[in-house]
Amino acid sequence: MKLVLLGAPGAGKGTQAEILSRTLNIPTISTGNILRAAMKNGTPVGLKAKEFVESGRLVPDDVIIGIVQERLAEPDCANGYILDGMPRTIPQAEALEQCGIEVDCALSLEVTDAVIVDRMSGRRTCKDCSSTFHIVSNPPKVAGKCDFCGGELTIRKDDAPETVQARLATYHKETEPLKDFYAARGKLVSVEGQDTVAETTDVIKKALGIE
């Protein structure tokens, strides 16, 4: 199965992508994680991306497309993949199609702006492996420590309230139109975000028919 996950920043795409990845045994391709790794390592792509990410703007298409194409060419993507954070615009979606990168389904996770702002303030990200947690809905087993690698959990700059508002405005303008793009191709599946991670996962599995 080749999936695209849509939804506002903080809607829970990353968390659900990890769960679906384990369920379907296919990799999650998170452009956010790829970019954060590049920024942390100070690569040319990372430095280029950093100024955009920290101001809540979108990273240029040519940078994103190149990274994604490289990643999807790797052997673990042969049986399917989950794209999280890409495409973010209609031109990106068109560029993917032009590259021969097809998806079976675009899953849109629907969550209100007010809920997202509240959620983001409690989000914590591992500075080593980029796994995400939430102090209320998905807390780590040990406060401040990653469950998976033991790394320190931090608040990302792009989770600060003023950056979240800028990112939501960008999402509504640039990314939300993708719902119509995929609906026109008969590939859109929309689900309402639930109160807990587990409840949202159940709704998604039902919608995708993978129970």
Side-chain angles (χ1 to χ4, degrees):
M1 185 179 282
K2 298 172 182 176
L3 284 174
V4 166
L5 290 187
L6 301 176
K13 299 186 301 299
T15 301
Q16 295 301 329
E18 286 174 19
I19 295 166
L20 286 172
S21 175
R22 290 194 296 269
T23 302
L24 298 169
N25 198 28
I26 54 177
T28 295
I29 312 304
S30 167
T31 50
N33 286 350
I34 296 170
L35 285 170
R36 277 191 287 280
M39 288 190 288
K40 184 178 176 183
N41 296 331
T43 66
V45 169
L47 293 172
K48 191 173 177 184
K50 190 170 186 178
E51 58 181 288
F52 289 90
V53 172
E54 290 189 347
S55 63
R57 292 179 294 159
L58 293 177
V59 177
D61 286 0
D62 58 335
V63 177
I64 298 287
I65 299 288
I67 287 173
V68 171
Q69 263 192 298
E70 244 177 34
R71 181 66 186 86
L72 294 185
E74 293 181 22
D76 63 338
C77 293
N79 295 321
Y81 45 79
I82 301 165
L83 285 176
D84 172 20
M86 167 73 186
R88 287 195 179 185
T89 63
I90 286 175
Q92 282 184 359
E94 290 170 342
L96 286 179
E97 287 186 344
Q98 286 158 13
C99 293
I101 297 170
E102 291 290 334
V103 299
D104 300 315
C105 172
L107 179 72
S108 180
L109 198 49
E110 306 291 338
V111 181
T112 67
D113 285 8
V115 168
I116 281 168
V117 172
D118 190 44
R119 271 188 192 175
M120 297 286 255
S121 64
R123 189 155 78 166
R124 301 292 182 268
T125 303
C126 176
K127 69 176 188 180
D128 295 327
C129 75
S130 298
S131 293
T132 57
F133 300 86
H134 191 280
I135 56 175
V136 177
S137 62
N138 184 32
K141 290 169 186 167
V142 178
K145 295 287 182 186
C146 176
D147 288 357
F148 305 107
C149 75
E152 181 189 347
L153 298 183
T154 60
I155 300 172
R156 282 168 34 199
K157 283 186 182 176
D158 49 348
D159 287 340
E162 61 276 10
T163 312
V164 172
Q165 294 289 1
R167 292 173 72 202
L168 284 170
T170 300
Y171 166 76
H172 291 305
K173 182 183 175 187
E174 302 282 352
T175 306
E176 205 161 27
L178 282 169
K179 291 197 286 190
D180 289 338
F181 177 90
Y182 285 112
R185 286 156 174 73
K187 294 181 177 181
L188 182 71
V189 175
S190 293
V191 297
E192 294 289 331
Q194 305 297 305
D195 291 338
T196 69
V197 170
E199 287 170 336
T200 302
T201 301
D202 287 344
V203 173
I204 288 172
K205 285 181 175 180
K206 285 192 180 83
L208 294 177
I210 56 171
E211 281 190 285

